[in-house]
């Protein structure tokens, strides 16, 4: 191998880097410890993992001969090996390599382990599907790497991305204690409810700007690609199972929020109960569904979910024929709070966060009747700019990251 062989990769890298905009960075950018030798970033297709890598490279390296970005789904790898590429780069002074889409390479975990162990001063950052289960992989990377998850745009990030407002993230505890002052400050600067409605329609995936009117069509296409390409790249499943997963997703999309009867679903899919549960959890891991269970989810011991949502409101607009306002509200809450807290299904109310905060989600006229006298109970209310007491504006739960 020589420089002529890798020139196509270098050309692609330089073109992508030249087109990378530094004006807006995702919330995760400043949270990553970039000094660690092996860094993993997983997340759903389309949430901005590639851009995050390229932004870091653009800001960090004045000399591009010290670094290479490469996507492992590049056709170049059909007749070249990854380990030969790394050996060539390392022996020619490149000690910073950024791998995109690692799940597209069959033996990626073993190769990353070998690179880490055999090249002592090599720094690797990689991205992969939201489904990557590092701790369950045959090759243990967990003690060698720092692993991060990148979620889609929060409502807070959407405001910044749109150039409307730059507001700080707030923890869930801070929100519960100080929501009035925070909300008053935001509401004094922008028409927050108008922005919130826009976000629910088209603000979760950063590519909404380039997609324009085709955005929801592209969201649906991305969902198909996740099932057709990403899930089979991570899980050993048959073509028939892929088709059943597609059918399952659309059954749920047309019936959200679904309180599933697993036996009935299994019969409709011509599948066993265990297979149906596995498919549900695959879609949850792939960030297409949100499964609400009565205990914290355990992907090693699959139990029947109590309620099933689509992962986010934009996906609901793209796939679902049912657009009930209440479901959109609950989907938003589950998506945004679930990104920072463990959500479960309580006996009363809609959601339990971290096993101690109880929430009922609804419109501005919602009352405490269903969760009256229960400790740490709150209303997350749509169509209000500011709240009072334990009545909190729903939009504020989009400011947690």
């Amino acid at each position: 191998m020589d420089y002529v062989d890798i020139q196509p990769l270098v050309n692609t890298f330089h073109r992508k880097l030249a087109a990378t905009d530094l004006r807006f960075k995702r919330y995760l950018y400043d949270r990553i410890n970039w000094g660690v030798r092996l860094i993993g970033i997983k997340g759903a297709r389309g949430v901005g993992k590639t851009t995050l890598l390229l932004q870091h490279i653009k800001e960090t390296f004045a000399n591009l001969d010290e670094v290479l970005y490469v996507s492992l789904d590049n056709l170049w790898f059909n007749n070249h090996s990854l380990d030969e590429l790394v050996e060539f780069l390392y022996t020619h002074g490149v000690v910073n390599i950024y791998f995109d889409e690692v799940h597209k390479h069959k033996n990626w975990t073993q190769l990353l382990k070998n690179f880490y162990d055999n090249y002592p001063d090599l720094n690797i950052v990689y991205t992969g599907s939201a489904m990557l289960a590092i701790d369950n992989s045959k090759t243990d990377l967990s003690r060698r790497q720092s692993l991060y998850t990148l979620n889609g745009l929060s409502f807070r990030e959407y405001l910044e991305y749109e150039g409307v407002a730059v507001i700080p993230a707030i923890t869930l505890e801070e929100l519960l204690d100080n929501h009035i002052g925070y909300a008053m400050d935001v509401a004094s600067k922008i028409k927050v409810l108008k922005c919130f409605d826009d976000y629910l329609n088209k603000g979760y995936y950063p590519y909404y700007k380039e997609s324009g009117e085709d955005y929801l069509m592209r969201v649906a296409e991305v969902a198909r690609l996740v099932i057709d390409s990403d899930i089979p790249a991570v899980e050993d499943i048959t073509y028939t199972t892929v088709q059943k997963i597609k059918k399952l997703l659309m059954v749920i999309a047309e019936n959200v929020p679904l309180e599933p009867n697993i036996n009935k679903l299994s019969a409709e899919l011509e599948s066993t109960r265990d297979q149906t549960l596995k498919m549900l959890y695959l879609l949850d891991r792939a960030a297409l569904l949100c499964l609400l269970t009565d205990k914290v989810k355990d992907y090693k011991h699959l139990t029947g979910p109590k309620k099933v949502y689509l992962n986010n409101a934009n996906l609901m607009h793209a796939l679902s024929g049912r657009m009930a306002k209440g479901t959109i509200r609950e989907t938003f809450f589950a998506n945004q709070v679930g990104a920072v807290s463990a959500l479960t299904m309580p006996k009363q109310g809609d959601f339990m966060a971290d096993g101690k905060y109880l929430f009922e989600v609804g419109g501005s006229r919602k009352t405490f009747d269903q969760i009256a006298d229960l400790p740490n109970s709150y209303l997350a209310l749509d169509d209000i700019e500011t709240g009072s007491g334990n009545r909190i504006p729903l939009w504020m739960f989009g400011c947690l990251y």
Side-chain angles (χ1 to χ4, degrees):
M1 182 176 290
D2 56 31
Y3 282 110
V4 173
D5 293 311
I6 70 166
Q7 196 60 48
L9 299 180
V10 174
N11 292 343
T12 299
F13 165 42
H14 289 175
R15 281 195 297 269
K16 283 180 173 287
L17 196 66
T20 299
D21 194 325
L22 295 174
R23 287 175 294 179
F24 171 77
K25 299 185 183 70
R26 296 299 315 282
Y27 73 97
L28 192 62
Y29 189 91
D30 291 325
R31 298 184 185 181
I32 295 173
N33 179 4
W34 295 104
V36 174
R37 279 190 56 217
L38 181 59
I39 298 170
I41 303 168
K42 67 177 186 174
R45 183 185 283 258
V47 295
K49 301 184 299 297
T50 300
T51 300
L52 190 149
L53 290 192
L54 292 169
Q55 286 177 329
H56 175 68
I57 294 170
K58 198 166 188 174
E59 282 204 327
T60 305
F61 297 96
N63 181 5
L64 293 183
D65 289 336
E66 299 174 355
V67 59
L68 182 71
Y69 157 92
V70 60
S71 179
L72 297 195
D73 64 355
N74 193 306
L75 291 175
W76 187 89
F77 289 102
N78 286 345
N79 62 342
H80 298 87
S81 71
L82 183 57
D83 49 354
E84 286 180 339
L85 172 65
V86 172
E87 173 68 15
F88 175 81
L89 292 172
Y90 184 81
T91 55
H92 289 75
V94 179
V95 293
N96 301 283
I97 306 178
Y98 292 71
F99 293 126
D100 213 355
E101 304 282 354
V102 295
H103 60 282
K104 294 302 180 69
H105 197 288
K106 185 176 181 180
N107 299 315
W108 68 272
T109 51
Q110 183 64 54
L111 286 169
L112 288 184
K113 175 186 177 298
N114 291 346
F115 297 155
Y116 182 92
D117 293 343
N118 297 337
Y119 301 97
D121 56 342
L122 180 64
N123 302 301
I124 296 173
V125 183
Y126 72 88
T127 76
S129 164
M131 300 185 65
L132 297 185
I134 305 301
D135 292 337
N136 295 334
S137 64
K138 294 179 181 179
T139 302
D140 181 21
L141 291 176
S142 59
R143 65 183 179 85
R144 293 174 170 84
Q145 71 170 351
S146 292
L147 181 65
Y148 300 87
T149 298
L150 182 64
N151 299 293
L153 290 172
S154 67
F155 176 52
R156 183 194 71 82
E157 288 184 296
Y158 168 77
L159 294 175
E160 182 177 346
Y161 195 35
E162 280 288 290
V164 174
V166 178
I167 57 178
I170 187 171
T171 67
L172 182 59
E173 289 75 14
E174 289 170 340
L175 186 155
L176 300 180
D177 292 339
N178 305 305
H179 64 88
I180 299 174
Y182 187 98
M184 288 179 64
D185 181 59
V186 175
S188 70
K189 300 174 181 175
I190 63 172
K191 301 294 184 184
V192 67
L193 296 183
K194 169 64 168 62
C195 294
F196 185 52
D197 286 340
D198 291 342
Y199 168 79
L200 293 176
N201 282 288
K202 52 108 179 168
Y204 187 70
Y205 299 102
Y207 58 77
Y208 75 85
K209 281 196 174 185
E210 65 188 62
S211 300
E213 293 183 359
D214 293 334
Y215 172 63
L216 293 181
M217 184 170 62
R218 184 169 171 185
V219 171
E221 175 63 13
V222 167
R224 183 192 67 78
L225 284 171
V226 168
I227 297 174
D228 278 343
S229 179
D230 294 347
I231 292 180
V234 176
E235 296 287 328
D236 184 16
I237 58 175
T238 64
Y239 173 80
T240 300
T241 300
V242 168
Q243 299 310 114
K244 289 181 179 180
I245 291 173
K246 287 182 183 176
K247 181 176 181 180
L248 175 60
L249 178 64
M250 295 313 299
V251 166
I252 293 168
E254 293 170 3
N255 295 279
V256 287
L258 180 67
E259 298 180 15
N261 180 320
I262 301 300
N263 292 332
K264 184 178 178 181
L265 264 182
S266 301
E268 188 169 352
L269 296 170
E270 299 180 347
S271 181
T272 66
R273 177 183 174 84
D274 286 348
Q275 288 172 333
T276 300
L277 280 175
K278 182 178 180 181
M279 288 188 285
L280 281 169
Y281 278 83
L282 282 176
L283 287 168
D284 181 89
R285 285 173 51 206
L288 293 177
L289 293 183
C290 172
L291 306 185
L292 199 61
T293 53
D294 54 6
K295 296 180 181 179
V296 176
K297 275 181 291 193
D298 180 356
Y299 293 107
K300 295 180 182 178
H301 304 92
L302 308 185
T303 60
K306 300 299 181 184
K307 193 175 282 190
V308 180
Y309 298 93
L310 290 176
N311 177 268
N312 60 78
N314 288 189
L315 193 59
M316 188 175 170
H317 280 284
L319 298 182
S320 180
R322 299 182 60 185
M323 298 303 300
K325 186 73 171 177
T327 305
I328 294 174
R329 293 164 177 158
E330 292 178 24
T331 300
F332 165 78
F333 185 94
N335 172 266
Q336 295 285 281
V337 180
V340 298
S341 300
L343 286 185
T344 53
M345 179 83 170
K347 293 181 179 179
Q348 292 175 257
D350 292 322
F351 301 97
M352 179 73 76
D354 294 329
K356 56 182 176 179
Y357 301 119
L358 182 64
F359 295 95
E360 184 79 15
V361 179
S364 59
R365 297 184 180 181
K366 189 79 173 181
T367 69
F368 276 94
D369 290 350
Q370 291 176 272
I371 53 175
D373 303 320
L374 295 175
N376 294 318
S377 58
Y378 302 85
L379 296 180
L381 302 179
D382 198 7
D383 299 320
I384 63 171
E385 288 186 335
T386 61
S388 60
N390 286 16
R391 296 166 53 86
I392 303 173
L394 179 62
W395 64 264
M396 289 192 67
F397 293 93
C399 300
L400 299 174
Y401 66 86

